[in-house]
Amino acid sequence: MFSRNQLSLAVATCVAVQGAVAQSEHNREVEALRGDDFAIEEVVVTARKREESLQTVPIAVDVLTAAQLEEKGIGALEGVARYTPGLTYETGLYTSDTRISLRGLTNTRGRSNVALLVDGVDVSSESLTVGGSGAGPNLDLFDLERVEVVKGPQSAVYGRSAFSGAVNYVTKRPGDTPESKVAADMTEYGFSKLQASTSQPIIPGVLAASVSVAKTDFDGFYDNPNTGGDLGTIDSSGIATAVNWTPTDNFSAFWRGEYSEAEYGQRPIVQRQSVLHTGSAPFDFSLLGSVGPNAEVRPIPGSGSTAEDCANAAPYGYLVGQQVTCGAVLVGEMGSAKESEIDLSPNPLTGKDFPGTEMRGVRSSLELKYNINEVELVSLTGMHYNDSRTQVDFDRTNFTLESLGPGSGMFVPPGYPGEFTQYGVNSNSDTSFDMKQFSQEFRISGVSGDLEWLASALYWTESMDAVMNQQWWLRDGVDKEFWDAFMDQYMGGFGMVDHRTSPVPLPIPMTRDTDHTSVAFSMIYNLSDDWRVTAEGRYLEEDIDYRSLPLSTQFNGFMGIPYFDPVTFMPATPEYQTYSRTDSAFVPRLSLDWQAADNLMLYASLAEGFKPGGMSTNDGDGIITTGEYKPEELVVYETGFKSNVLSNRLQLNGSAYFYDYTNQQISHFVTDPATGTTNTVVTNAGASSMRGVELSAVYRPSINWTFLASYVLSDTQVDDYTIADVGRPGTLDKLWTGTEDGDYSGLQFPNSAKHSGLLSIRYDGEFANGAGYFTELLGTYESERYIDRGNNAWLPEYWLVDFQGGVSFDKLNVILYVNNLLDDDKVKSGLSNVNYGFLPGGAFTPEASELILPEPRTAGLRVSYNF
């Protein structure tokens, strides 16, 4: 079945951690079973850092080829996720709040579960001040050869961030064939992307170089009704250059450098509020507002109140002496939102929209390879620099609170504390990041008898410097005199509270330094021509050091209270706090694969993932003496198959897996009793799990038709997580879970689709003059995704249908496309949050959800010309 003397295209589940041996009598190749000329083409990948046929790699891998990337205009991760079932990419409140997940394994805090790599160099990062995985994953690359999505823990392969998988961008390498191209992508909504590239041999067979440039402009799909300004805008440009040097048969060097800069406007966000500041009942001089249309009133567990008690009660009425204790929580489907509901504030200093995010990035990598007989030595060096500044409306609302009555009464009678309930915050975020990464990896690999071996060492370091400058001030309609006096009583009555009434800068510098070192091995033993067993692993150690000024956005900023020394309790100049931790682990991976027939391969694997712990730094202050969380651990059991039947006209692949997830890093709400504002801290859930299935099929019944279908089941569940076991449950945790202890056990992960899939019908033909043409109808599906951890509110299921049709001549390619062909207007992305604009009684921050408006039906044209 296997040819022992041919180039290996199927080395079993060895993690060829850094490029295994190219040839040996023990390497195996599953020959492509070509029938007629309409058989499915072979795809070669480097998912395990060596060249292998996709159908012989014993792990689940999805690939987007250069032709697919060009046809669909994919250059960023958002496009990759759109056409890869099981891969989810979302952007939160602003551009650097990016969130990547695979197979439904979402994370709300901490480092991303998915590693992002460019030519094998890890460029993953994590923000210091918001959830998600930071600015690194928001890459817009060009001149790509392919994108590989590798599923399941890959820490033994990629070193540090591949907790549940990896996305690897593989760029094109210049060669002996001269190539030049110009391309343009334009849509009816003003989007335009212009690209030009050239790849030329300088010394044939020895030295080649390439240069690519790109420019993108977009006015956005939506406007801000409050300013008339464009939202979701893009203005970016970049240049990349590469050099490929092969002076001898035994040595090669490949260098690539890239520079990019971009400006992203504020996102088109609609905030859904559980409690509205308007609509107080007639003669309700407490001015508690009303329940939002997407919310319901529930008793707060542990208070003694019942659902019947709350049926006709105002939420949070207990704050003004009412007898029942009720709160409001968002429930049901949240799939409808319109441009007219956007309520983003203008910048009070300019009267225009906040600028959004400015980013600048530089990346460079150098790969050196040297072969000595059958031993290969590889050095891979990477550098990545990124700086950004984000200025946005942080509270995402623009309303004035009622101060003199709910409509029927224009005064506040004695004993009715209207001023007490009219408390709220305007806030904007002005945060900058300066991130520097460096990585160096060495590996050596070879063959000894029936054993293929590999050893690797990795050093990766990052310095992240941030300045958080969230500016909070009283919302119009709030009685400053009343609230200064009210809050001052909690500070000893010394008159220190001085609420801000306009933006006042309070820069809080923060630093996180990360040093990762690890060593890895891989041993593949060929039991026979049909069986292989692989043992691999990585020992890693990671040091993380934090440094921050312990200032509080709420106390020292919003309320104007001086900083007090925590020991003497006297006004003082704050001194930097520090926190350090070291985590280490060994992450193994074992696998067995069997070539049961020429066209059928079966495999099974056991893999572990590890994510270091850290310190909560996204809670609105620079205090790092509390908020520590432990490392996460993941054990994955997986079995699968890959097959080609009908003379390679039908390709069927599948896998089934079980994830055992321990100490999941997750956030919960903590309410400050003095200010009423709610922040989040990170803690660890006891246990979670996921059961899943992946199936894919490619069928080519003739030279013209190609059918593609794939399906992913990700059944996630929190098995053991109760807030009372790790801290004090907040009001929202009680309302979400319906329990006094905040017990989330048995619930599904937020933002995780249980079912997702893709269907494609494609027809390729040729005109009489030799010009080719194609049409493709492609649909992607996602089932309901819960917005909150309590599984109360959700985004609806949807089908997103795209159409493409194109003509290709000798040098010219023209593609007409329509994204969202059926003009599906359901909200497809959203996240749970709180409403800072209305804090009834200053003692509780009500729930809110941020809904990202979807892309409407969009027609566009892509044109490219090859010289």
Side-chain angles (χ1 to χ4, degrees):
M1 296 181 182
F2 290 97
S3 174
R4 285 179 170 268
N5 298 317
Q6 294 178 330
L7 175 69
S8 170
L9 289 178
V11 179
T13 47
C14 116
V15 172
V17 179
Q18 295 282 351
V21 183
Q23 293 187 5
S24 109
E25 63 178 358
H26 301 288
N27 290 352
R28 305 178 295 171
E29 176 181 2
V30 180
E31 296 179 353
L33 303 177
R34 303 294 182 190
D36 295 332
D37 58 356
F38 55 88
I40 298 170
E41 295 86 356
E42 181 183 54
V43 176
V44 176
V45 299
T46 55
R48 301 186 302 167
K49 299 192 175 180
R50 66 184 309 271
E51 291 188 349
E52 301 174 276
S53 170
L54 177 62
Q55 282 302 97
T56 65
V57 178
I59 51 179
V61 182
D62 286 338
V63 178
L64 289 170
T65 64
Q68 292 171 313
L69 295 169
E70 182 175 346
E71 280 186 1
K72 295 174 172 56
I74 299 173
L77 193 54
E78 184 176 5
V80 176
R82 184 166 184 160
Y83 301 108
T84 306
L87 174 65
T88 301
Y89 170 81
E90 293 187 332
T91 303
L93 301 180
Y94 40 91
T95 307
S96 59
D97 182 10
T98 51
R99 305 166 186 223
I100 314 171
S101 64
L102 268 170
R103 291 175 167 175
L105 202 72
T106 56
N107 67 313
T108 58
R109 288 296 186 270
R111 181 182 301 173
S112 171
N113 290 335
V114 182
L116 188 69
L117 305 105
V118 180
D119 291 329
V121 176
D122 190 343
V123 295
S124 308
S125 184
E126 177 189 350
S127 174
L128 269 170
T129 62
V130 295
S133 51
N138 196 30
L139 299 175
D140 186 7
L141 294 181
F142 46 95
D143 210 17
L144 292 173
E145 180 66 32
R146 65 184 176 277
V147 178
E148 302 171 354
V149 180
V150 190
K151 302 178 181 180
Q154 302 297 324
S155 297
V157 182
Y158 298 114
R160 56 175 298 274
S161 301
F163 181 73
S164 67
V167 177
N168 187 25
Y169 290 91
V170 181
T171 63
K172 292 182 179 179
R173 299 196 176 194
D176 282 341
T177 303
E179 296 178 327
S180 296
K181 183 177 70 174
V182 292
D185 190 345
M186 299 160 287
T187 75
E188 60 180 305
Y189 284 94
F191 173 89
S192 66
K193 185 172 186 177
L194 304 176
Q195 294 177 272
S197 63
T198 183
S199 176
Q200 301 292 330
I202 299 174
I203 304 175
V206 177
L207 184 64
S210 65
V211 177
S212 302
V213 294
K215 171 68 175 174
T216 301
D217 289 291
F218 183 39
D219 294 334
F221 294 115
Y222 299 97
D223 295 333
N224 183 355
N226 295 327
T227 65
D230 297 328
L231 299 174
T233 60
I234 303 173
D235 182 2
S236 69
S237 58
I239 181 171
T241 183
V243 177
N244 198 17
W245 184 38
T246 54
T248 69
D249 292 338
N250 296 326
F251 177 78
S252 66
F254 173 66
W255 172 83
R256 178 182 171 88
E258 182 173 327
Y259 172 82
S260 62
E261 56 185 32
E263 297 179 1
Y264 299 92
Q266 290 190 108
R267 308 202 71 208
I269 297 176
V270 169
Q271 186 180 94
R272 284 278 186 269
Q273 301 163 9
S274 60
V275 177
L276 305 177
H277 69 286
T278 58
S280 300
F283 305 106
D284 174 16
F285 298 105
S286 297
L287 305 182
L288 287 169
S290 59
V291 181
N294 296 95
E296 69 178 24
V297 180
R298 295 179 177 178
I300 298 177
S303 66
S305 297
T306 65
E308 290 76 15
D309 295 332
C310 295
N312 298 308
Y316 313 112
Y318 63 92
L319 298 174
V320 292
Q322 295 183 11
Q323 297 301 309
V324 295
T325 306
C326 313
V329 62
L330 292 169
V331 297
E333 182 183 297
M334 308 284 284
S336 176
K338 299 178 181 179
E339 181 181 58
S340 59
E341 298 178 81
I342 296 173
D343 197 28
L344 295 173
S345 300
N347 186 335
L349 302 179
T350 65
K352 301 179 181 179
D353 284 305
F354 287 92
T357 300
E358 299 177 357
M359 306 179 72
R360 180 179 58 176
V362 178
R363 283 183 294 274
S364 176
S365 63
L366 175 63
E367 178 192 80
L368 304 175
K369 286 186 178 181
Y370 186 63
N371 291 286
I372 308 174
N373 297 324
E374 292 189 351
V375 175
E376 182 179 70
L377 304 173
V378 176
S379 169
L380 183 62
T381 307
M383 291 181 290
H384 181 202
Y385 170 78
N386 181 279
D387 69 72
S388 65
R389 183 182 181 186
T390 296
Q391 301 174 79
V392 296
D393 176 21
F394 190 70
D395 63 89
R396 295 161 299 283
T397 54
N398 186 46
F399 56 76
T400 299
L401 291 173
E402 299 180 52
S403 59
L404 294 176
S408 60
M410 297 303 295
F411 62 96
V412 181
Y416 289 84
E419 294 93 342
F420 179 70
T421 60
Q422 298 304 284
Y423 190 60
V425 175
N426 285 306
S427 61
N428 71 282
S429 177
D430 183 354
T431 304
S432 60
F433 297 94
D434 189 341
M435 180 267 289
K436 301 179 183 68
Q437 293 177 350
F438 172 81
S439 66
Q440 176 61 59
E441 189 166 14
F442 297 104
R443 64 181 182 268
I444 181 171
S445 56
V447 176
S448 178
D450 289 330
L451 178 68
E452 301 174 22
W453 57 269
L454 182 145
S456 170
L458 171 67
Y459 172 70
W460 187 98
T461 183
E462 177 190 73
S463 176
M464 171 76 79
D465 296 315
V467 177
M468 180 175 62
N469 188 20
Q470 292 183 5
Q471 300 166 41
W472 292 29
W473 65 99
L474 285 176
R475 188 165 291 267
D476 290 346
V478 178
D479 189 329
K480 171 180 164 55
E481 182 179 354
F482 171 84
W483 278 101
D484 282 350
F486 182 81
M487 287 298 187
D488 192 61
Q489 64 182 319
Y490 295 100
M491 304 303 298
F494 297 106
M496 292 182 294
V497 177
D498 181 18
H499 281 90
R500 306 306 188 191
T501 56
S502 62
V504 177
L506 182 71
I508 304 175
M510 311 171 74
T511 298
R512 183 188 65 230
D513 294 327
T514 305
D515 289 314
H516 168 102
T517 56
S518 62
V519 292
F521 72 90
S522 172
M523 296 184 295
I524 309 168
Y525 188 72
N526 297 277
L527 300 173
S528 68
D529 284 344
D530 301 334
W531 290 88
R532 289 177 297 187
V533 62
T534 299
E536 60 194 3
R538 181 179 295 271
Y539 176 80
L540 61 90
E541 184 172 288
E542 194 153 303
D543 299 314
I544 308 179
D545 299 308
Y546 297 83
R547 185 171 182 263
S548 178
L549 274 183
L551 294 172
S552 167
T553 298
Q554 293 93 332
F555 282 97
N556 308 123
F558 175 49
M559 297 172 63
I561 300 172
Y563 174 79
F564 286 89
D565 185 279
V567 177
T568 65
F569 299 103
M570 296 296 292
T573 300
E575 297 182 356
Y576 278 94
Q577 294 179 342
T578 60
Y579 168 81
S580 299
R581 68 176 297 121
T582 298
D583 292 310
S584 60
F586 175 72
V587 283
R589 183 181 177 95
L590 300 173
S591 63
L592 179 69
D593 69 280
W594 174 40
Q595 193 70 34
D598 284 347
N599 58 359
L600 175 63
M601 185 263 287
L602 307 175
Y603 67 90
S605 66
L606 168 65
E608 293 187 9
F610 177 83
K611 186 193 298 185
M615 173 63 68
S616 301
T617 57
N618 47 23
D619 49 3
D621 59 46
I623 300 171
I624 53 174
T625 55
T626 59
E628 182 181 36
Y629 52 91
K630 299 181 293 185
E632 293 183 345
E633 297 178 359
L634 182 66
V635 180
V636 176
Y637 308 86
E638 182 165 350
T639 183
F641 68 92
K642 294 186 177 183
S643 66
N644 298 293
V645 297
L646 300 179
S647 298
N648 201 34
R649 298 169 194 167
L650 176 62
Q651 188 179 92
L652 296 172
N653 296 338
S655 62
Y657 42 86
F658 174 76
Y659 284 45
D660 187 1
Y661 199 178
T662 306
N663 288 332
Q664 180 185 7
Q665 295 164 3
I666 195 168
S667 61
H668 68 94
F669 287 106
V670 174
T671 300
D672 189 319
T675 65
T677 54
T678 298
N679 284 318
T680 58
V681 296
V682 181
T683 186
N684 296 90
S688 303
S689 61
M690 178 176 66
R691 295 165 176 83
V693 173
E694 289 189 3
L695 298 170
S696 67
V698 181
Y699 179 44
R700 183 170 290 174
S702 72
I703 196 171
N704 302 113
W705 291 98
T706 303
F707 300 90
L708 186 148
S710 59
Y711 167 74
V712 177
L713 166 69
S714 299
D715 188 5
T716 61
Q717 179 176 290
V718 176
D719 297 322
D720 179 19
Y721 178 41
T722 303
I723 297 292
D725 293 339
V726 294
R728 181 180 177 182
T731 304
L732 273 179
D733 291 305
K734 295 179 181 180
L735 288 171
W736 275 345
T737 63
T739 64
E740 185 176 358
D741 293 335
D743 186 359
Y744 286 93
S745 302
L747 299 178
Q748 184 175 318
F749 292 2
N751 301 108
S752 176
K754 187 173 183 179
H755 306 281
S756 60
L758 182 148
L759 292 173
S760 170
I761 302 174
R762 182 185 176 101
Y763 185 89
D764 290 271
E766 186 174 290
F767 294 112
N769 63 359
Y773 66 91
F774 81 94
T775 59
E776 182 179 19
L777 195 65
L778 186 146
T780 56
Y781 171 79
E782 277 199 331
S783 61
E784 295 177 350
R785 290 89 60 217
Y786 290 109
I787 294 179
D788 63 280
R789 293 192 307 277
N791 295 180
N792 297 286
W794 63 85
L795 298 175
E797 64 175 352
Y798 69 88
W799 274 99
L800 196 61
V801 180
D802 297 337
F803 168 81
Q804 291 189 98
V807 180
S808 58
F809 301 94
D810 184 33
K811 297 182 177 181
L812 177 66
N813 295 304
V814 180
I815 297 174
L816 173 68
Y817 63 92
V818 182
N819 290 338
N820 192 7
L821 179 65
L822 304 181
D823 202 19
D824 186 296
D825 62 354
K826 299 185 187 72
V827 173
K828 300 169 181 63
S829 179
L831 62 153
S832 180
N833 210 325
V834 290
N835 174 21
Y836 292 101
F838 180 44
L839 312 174
F844 180 72
T845 311
E847 180 193 7
S849 288
E850 315 297 346
L851 308 178
I852 315 299
L853 293 183
E855 173 187 346
R857 178 168 52 210
T858 305
L861 182 70
R862 297 189 186 101
V863 181
S864 64
Y865 185 81
N866 297 277
F867 296 91

